[in-house]
Amino acid sequence: MAEILICEKICKSFSGIEVLHDVDFSVKEGEIHALVGENGAGKSTLMNIISGVIKPTSGKIYKHGKEIVLENPLDAFKEKIGIVHQELSIADNLTVAENILIGREPINKLGFIDRKELNIQAEECLNIMGISIDPRIKAGSLSVGLQQVIEITKVISKNIEILILDEPTSSLSEKEIQNLIQLLKRIKEERNLSIIFISHKLNEVEILADRTTVLRDGYVIGTLKREETTIPKVINMMIGRDLDYHKSMLSKNDFGNVILKADRLFGKGFSDISFEVREKEILGVFGLIGAGRTEMACALFGYDKLNSGEIMLKGNNLVIDNPKKAVENGICYVTENRKELGLFLTKSLKYNTIASSFEEFNKFLGVMNEKKADIVAEKYVKELQIDPPNINQNVFEYSGGNQQKILISKSLAAHPDVLIVDEPTRGVDVGAKEMIHSILRELANNGMAIIMISSELPELLKLSDRVMIMHEGIQKGTLKNDNLTEEDVMSLAYAEG
Amino acid sequence: MREKNKLYKQIIENRLTTLIIISIIIILMLSILKPGTFLNYSNFSGIFTTMSFDLLLSCGMTIVLIVGGVDLSVGAVVALASIISAVLTKRGMGVFFTIIITILVGAIVGIINGILVTKFKLAPFVATLGIQSIIRGFCYVTTSGYLISGLSPAFTNLSRATIVFIPSLVLISVILSIIVGILLKKMNLFKQMYMIGTSPKSAEMSGIPADKLKVFAYMLSGFFAGLSGVLIASRYGMGAATYGIGFESRAIAASVIGGAVMSGGEGDMFGTMFGVLIVAVVNNAFIQFGGQAEWQYAVSGIMLLITLYADRVKLSAMRRRGH
Ligand SMILES: Nc1ncnc2c1ncn2[C@@H]1O[C@H](COP(=O)(O)OP(=O)(O)OP(=O)(O)O)[C@@H](O)[C@H]1O
Ligand SMILES: [Mg+2]
């Protein structure tokens, strides 16, 4: 196979700090090339360079052996390079067809958009991808998984030769991931497409990748062929040591008192949910996307409306009608939607860290105690190994995984008794994932009650003392984690009635 | 890392220096081209007077912009406050209580704005525009278009007095702006307002009392508009339904020139102070060259549009960096 794209000695600096060092990277025709590395290793930055979003400080890019210069994303599209970014850019209020053909809508004789033609063309694009969605429905009404597919359809339909996918599976359910993997394999075969695939889920990499390149701290550590690629080997290259990531982290403690008890909660997207969680306990909540877990958590937290049901905190009845009240009563929620509901992207790490605990930083007469805030922010930077460790840097300048750590610090800084975490390791690398897991376990051991919502079964089974299973808004049951297997949980999730 | 920090500081400082340089250039230009009409006492006193009112309104406007809102009702509140304070004074009420009551009315209008925006979820533009029309209409009806003049010297002296050669009006507005500037930088409460403006949903989810603080921001805006109304009545010796027309556009323009953005989360009162200066001298330049004072309404509109456009450019640059 010929090499379609070669990057030679790519360097990139942000305000004087080099984050990519002499990176050599190449892609062959019709291969799926996985790019892996820790949070902040420089994966997205390298992809942004290849897709013309940012310019390298130095280095050359060749396509079909000819040097190309990419000034902007348009140049990259002219070179038939397309990217689906880490964060989705679907317009919720446009239809599927409008999203796919945005910027190149067919025009009728009068100069207006030809809706009929638009929908026909969009349908063709979708057919090529092998999916049947009505192109006339609003994109916002689709699941995240389908939105992801729409975004990929949009890029592929521009007749590209190289497709870049930056963490396409981080917000997909297991089933959607399988579908996407099949889809990628198929279009690769059918169209001889080259795909660059970034993911922190190494099992996907193992299944999918023809070759795998590992980045660490902006250096290329090496490129593995398919037959050489094993998960432990990749991890070792990524973080420079071995990691026993399967090791179970169940509590050996006796649990304490019941801290939070929810009784027959009803709301939009879920009904009749009851559970309790005790001191020192991690209650896992499993379900496929659409199971109503996030809706339930948001209602419990006072962000959405709870139609009926009772919440008892440490034995006292509590009406939580806004998040402030929840936080005041020691309940914190780490959202799965960190960009919109969690972080303040144009504010510093420091202010993001203290956003749930502003009250604790009063000096006198309401003057802010900046020193104390600095200390707290520094503390979490250290504890969660946030990189770069600069509390005054704006959050949008952090890599995705580090943003997730900042989000978690925000809740921890409020010292909750009950911590609800929703997909806590989304977009986080294996090493950091391990770290977040052990932090959660340690918090529980120190007395916190934790509710962990996750679509990743291995993670749930590793950490949860009990697992509650939800399906389409209904509680299917709760299993105690005595050597619980994935099959046990799945069979209950799909059980009738 | 340290380097990055410095760069950020430089940009902030740069904006202030840029603003100062722009103001100096315009002032020099006017001094050279129109030495007779620009560099004279009555012109300067006129500039300082309008600047004082603009400054007071901009204090409130900057705060409202920080929480991600906007207050179009302030000009009308100025008129309302001028009428109320004139009427109260004529009825024999003391200066102190007149001020207190009028400012309270301003603050209440602000609270109503805030409630419309938070509880009734109206867009700030719509809510405050509605209140603006209602109040302006109310002013015309109650005064039947007449001016309320003949106010007591005790009341008019309030803004005509000078303290060590500085007109009290200028003194009051500058001191209040500096106080607001410092509070914005130091107070926990205002830090939370910046967070609300940056991402209202994240703020709510973090447990920041977003609605309460928004209402408070609008209340402060109403407060400053009320104060400004009292002072305008005192300065010109009468209350009138026509005061304050177009003041809101100047306050918005000044705040945005000074560093606030329409989408919220940014704003700096010290920047705004120079914004006010720039708006005032540009206005004056038009009057100097165009000859008619009525130009000011058109000019503030034009400046507002230009700054809002610059605001959009600034924002999309920020977004691009964000990717
Ligand atoms: N706009 C920016 N300004 C300053 N630094 C940046 C900017 N974008 C990225 N960086 C820095 O560059 C480094 C690489 O970031 P990048 O986003 O490429 O990491 P990544 O490998 O994609 O990580 P993740 O898996 O967490 O998404 C990080 O240290 C990050 O903080
Ligand atoms: Mg990334």
Side-chain angles (χ1 to χ4, degrees):
Chain A
M1 273 189 285
E3 297 197 315
I4 182 165
L5 185 85
I6 298 176
C7 301
E8 201 179 86
K9 295 215 177 320
I10 301 280
C11 296
K12 174 69 194 177
S13 305
F14 288 107
S15 27
I17 297 156
E18 194 168 280
V19 299
L20 288 178
H21 321 276
D22 289 330
V23 168
D24 290 326
F25 177 74
S26 68
V27 187
K28 292 179 184 167
E29 253 170 57
E31 82 164 339
I32 298 185
H33 194 137
L35 184 61
V36 297
E38 286 183 285
N39 296 129
K43 305 178 294 292
S44 299
T45 305
L46 182 61
M47 292 307 110
N48 282 338
I49 289 171
I50 297 178
S51 56
V53 178
I54 56 178
K55 281 192 277 183
T57 316
S58 65
K60 291 196 167 107
I61 303 175
Y62 301 90
K63 186 156 175 275
H64 291 306
K66 211 176 84 228
E67 185 177 349
I68 53 173
V69 178
L70 306 172
E71 292 288 335
N72 51 48
L74 211 62
D75 285 351
F77 267 119
K78 282 185 199 139
E79 296 293 343
K80 300 187 186 290
I81 302 172
I83 183 166
V84 176
H85 283 286
Q86 194 162 355
E87 314 286 345
L88 283 180
S89 61
I90 287 278
D92 283 354
N93 47 358
L94 296 186
T95 67
V96 169
E98 287 164 340
N99 264 298
I100 292 177
L101 294 165
I102 196 162
R104 43 194 180 125
E105 295 90 346
I107 304 287
N108 63 18
K109 288 194 196 89
L110 296 170
F112 291 112
I113 293 176
D114 187 342
R115 298 229 136 244
K116 214 161 152 201
E117 182 61 26
L118 178 83
N119 289 330
I120 292 172
Q121 286 186 11
E123 194 134 29
E124 269 168 24
C125 297
L126 288 166
N127 280 341
I128 293 172
M129 301 286 288
I131 29 181
S132 47
I133 310 175
D134 183 352
R136 281 161 300 201
I137 60 174
K138 292 255 189 287
S141 64
L142 297 174
S143 72
V144 187
L146 283 176
Q147 289 183 4
Q148 183 73 259
V149 172
I150 300 298
E151 183 117 12
I152 294 173
T153 308
K154 169 170 125 190
V155 175
I156 288 187
S157 65
K158 292 180 185 170
N159 236 334
I160 53 166
E161 293 170 352
I162 301 172
L163 171 66
I164 302 171
L165 300 171
D166 194 349
E167 296 194 35
T169 60
S170 66
S171 44
L172 302 193
S173 67
E174 199 49 46
K175 193 149 172 262
E176 289 171 323
I177 292 174
Q178 291 313 323
N179 289 342
L180 183 67
I181 286 177
Q182 293 316 320
L183 183 101
L184 291 179
K185 279 185 169 165
R186 212 187 60 235
I187 49 174
K188 173 191 106 166
E189 293 298 329
E190 284 173 3
R191 323 188 74 191
N192 199 29
L193 197 66
S194 304
I195 300 175
I196 306 175
F197 180 84
I198 298 180
S199 177
H200 288 296
K201 298 181 181 164
L202 299 178
N203 56 335
E204 295 166 4
V205 171
E206 199 180 28
I207 302 172
L208 208 50
D210 296 311
R211 287 194 301 161
T212 302
T213 291
V214 181
L215 271 181
R216 191 202 306 164
D217 293 335
Y219 292 98
V220 174
I221 301 298
T223 300
L224 298 172
K225 292 202 197 70
R226 185 177 181 83
E227 32 322 337
E228 314 169 317
T229 312
T230 64
I231 293 179
K233 196 164 173 182
V234 171
I235 290 179
N236 188 293
M237 288 170 77
M238 275 172 67
I239 64 177
R241 63 189 162 90
D242 288 328
L243 189 73
D244 185 7
Y245 58 98
H246 276 316
K247 197 177 69 207
S248 158
M249 285 189 186
L250 295 186
S251 165
K252 290 167 200 70
N253 297 307
D254 284 332
F255 306 118
N257 301 326
V258 171
I259 296 205
L260 182 83
K261 186 169 182 268
D263 197 27
R264 309 207 62 187
L265 304 183
F266 284 79
K268 191 166 166 277
F270 62 93
S271 51
D272 205 0
I273 308 286
S274 304
F275 61 87
E276 53 183 42
V277 53
R278 293 164 288 181
E279 259 172 14
K280 303 186 179 183
E281 184 184 37
I282 298 181
L283 171 69
V285 182
F286 176 74
L288 305 171
I289 290 201
R293 298 163 304 164
T294 296
E295 288 83 349
M296 190 265 297
C298 283
L300 178 70
F301 187 62
Y303 185 70
D304 287 332
K305 206 167 154 282
L306 198 59
N307 289 342
S308 73
E310 271 186 13
I311 298 167
M312 308 263 282
L313 189 71
K314 295 177 182 163
N316 300 318
N317 240 322
L318 190 64
V319 179
I320 303 175
D321 42 17
N322 59 56
K324 182 175 162 31
K325 206 156 171 190
V327 174
E328 277 169 357
N329 282 290
I331 304 174
C332 278
Y333 173 61
V334 176
T335 169
E336 61 168 349
N337 187 352
R338 66 169 172 253
K339 266 214 153 152
E340 279 176 26
L341 301 181
L343 295 172
F344 306 84
L345 292 173
T346 54
K347 291 286 173 273
S348 67
L349 179 154
K350 172 176 144 188
Y351 281 109
N352 274 272
T353 304
I354 64 164
S356 277
S357 47
F358 264 104
E359 244 95 275
E360 292 178 26
F361 299 92
N362 276 323
K363 222 160 41 186
F364 51 88
L365 300 173
V367 172
M368 169 109 189
N369 190 340
E370 299 276 351
K371 271 238 179 65
K372 191 175 167 198
D374 287 353
I375 293 169
V376 169
E378 298 280 6
K379 178 182 154 207
Y380 287 104
V381 163
K382 212 165 180 188
E383 246 169 55
L384 300 187
Q385 292 167 24
I386 296 170
D387 184 54
N390 177 7
I391 61 168
N392 295 315
Q393 183 163 319
N394 284 339
V395 165
F396 70 75
E397 291 173 355
Y398 278 90
S399 73
N402 282 296
Q403 290 184 4
Q404 181 69 21
K405 294 185 194 173
I406 296 169
L407 178 70
I408 294 177
S409 332
K410 179 181 82 174
S411 286
L412 297 187
H415 308 296
D417 300 323
V418 180
L419 181 66
I420 309 171
V421 289
D422 200 345
E423 309 287 0
T425 57
R426 165 171 296 175
V428 163
D429 68 52
V430 266
K433 194 168 179 173
E434 186 70 12
M435 191 181 65
I436 290 174
H437 288 162
S438 51
I439 286 171
L440 289 175
R441 178 39 76 193
E442 198 184 312
L443 290 168
N445 285 347
N446 291 335
M448 201 180 278
I450 296 178
I451 300 172
M452 177 162 113
I453 300 171
S454 175
S455 310
E456 282 181 48
L457 253 182
E459 163 173 285
L460 275 177
L461 294 178
K462 175 176 159 191
L463 270 173
S464 334
D465 301 303
R466 285 182 300 140
V467 183
M468 174 167 101
I469 293 132
M470 284 177 69
H471 187 65
E472 292 177 350
I474 294 166
Q475 184 173 6
K476 286 294 189 116
T478 303
L479 299 172
K480 196 160 181 311
N481 190 358
D482 289 324
N483 297 317
L484 209 57
T485 63
E486 299 199 9
E487 288 72 39
D488 297 337
V489 175
M490 289 310 266
S491 61
L492 185 56
Y494 288 114
E496 292 290 315
Chain B
M1 292 307 110
R2 188 145 310 137
E3 200 178 335
K4 162 158 243 128
N5 228 328
K6 245 200 236 148
L7 196 84
Y8 181 61
K9 276 227 179 76
Q10 263 173 17
I11 293 169
I12 295 236
E13 279 159 10
N14 250 339
R15 194 182 42 230
L16 267 187
T17 21
T18 324
L19 292 178
I20 295 171
I21 292 169
I22 294 176
S23 334
I24 292 176
I25 291 175
I26 302 174
I27 291 171
L28 277 180
M29 220 176 65
L30 284 173
S31 317
I32 294 166
L33 295 176
K34 293 273 172 183
T37 45
F38 181 68
L39 287 178
N40 71 47
Y41 177 79
S42 79
N43 188 43
F44 264 62
S45 119
I47 292 181
F48 278 124
T49 309
T50 33
M51 262 176 65
S52 302
F53 298 127
D54 285 352
L55 209 47
L56 287 172
L57 292 184
S58 302
C59 286
M61 194 63 80
T62 299
I63 297 172
V64 171
L65 288 173
I66 286 172
V67 293
V70 69
D71 188 352
L72 301 183
S73 74
V74 287
V77 174
V78 168
L80 178 69
S82 79
I83 292 166
I84 291 176
S85 58
V87 170
L88 290 178
T89 306
K90 282 193 90 131
R91 296 244 167 110
M93 187 174 278
V95 175
F96 181 73
F97 284 105
T98 305
I99 297 176
I100 298 289
I101 291 177
T102 315
I103 291 179
L104 256 174
V105 172
I108 289 170
V109 174
I111 292 175
I112 295 172
N113 280 326
I115 290 175
L116 289 178
V117 170
T118 55
K119 291 278 168 304
F120 293 88
K121 311 240 178 283
L122 295 182
F125 262 101
V126 179
T128 57
L129 187 64
I131 293 293
Q132 180 202 70
S133 322
I134 293 171
I135 292 180
R136 187 71 73 190
F138 177 81
C139 289
Y140 280 119
V141 171
T142 47
T143 60
S144 327
Y146 290 109
L147 306 173
I148 304 168
S149 55
L151 306 182
S152 70
F155 183 73
T156 53
N157 277 340
L158 189 67
S159 61
R160 292 178 184 173
T162 57
I163 301 160
V164 270
F165 304 114
I166 305 170
S168 59
L169 190 58
V170 175
L171 211 61
I172 294 172
S173 58
V174 170
I175 290 177
L176 282 177
S177 314
I178 292 175
I179 292 176
V180 168
I182 293 172
L183 293 184
L184 284 180
K185 286 203 190 311
K186 295 279 175 209
M187 299 286 284
N188 199 325
L189 193 94
F190 289 114
K191 302 266 175 178
Q192 296 182 49
M193 287 194 184
Y194 283 99
M195 304 302 267
I196 296 169
T198 305
S199 171
K201 285 186 190 161
S202 296
E204 193 189 341
M205 280 294 251
S206 302
I208 293 173
D211 283 0
K212 250 192 230 163
L213 289 179
K214 273 188 198 163
V215 174
F216 184 60
Y218 282 98
M219 191 198 85
L220 287 177
S221 178
F223 167 94
F224 282 110
L227 177 62
S228 188
V230 177
L231 292 175
I232 214 169
S234 154
R235 179 70 179 75
Y236 298 120
M238 52 195 175
T242 50
Y243 283 153
I245 292 175
F247 278 24
E248 56 280 342
S249 1
R250 288 216 300 273
I252 296 170
S255 304
V256 174
I257 291 172
V261 294
M262 294 307 284
S263 54
E266 306 280 334
D268 166 29
M269 197 54 216
F270 297 108
T272 301
M273 291 173 78
F274 284 98
V276 168
L277 178 64
I278 290 175
V279 170
V281 288
V282 169
N283 244 321
N284 197 256
F286 268 82
I287 297 172
Q288 296 287 332
F289 291 104
Q292 266 172 311
E294 282 68 24
W295 266 112
Q296 59 174 332
Y297 301 119
V299 175
S300 40
I302 293 168
M303 288 199 67
L304 181 64
L305 291 182
I306 293 174
T307 42
L308 290 192
Y309 178 70
D311 180 66
R312 284 201 53 154
V313 174
K314 190 159 67 182
L315 210 71
S316 59
M318 244 157 76
R319 287 239 178 79
R320 223 171 306 127
R321 273 204 317 151
H323 238 302

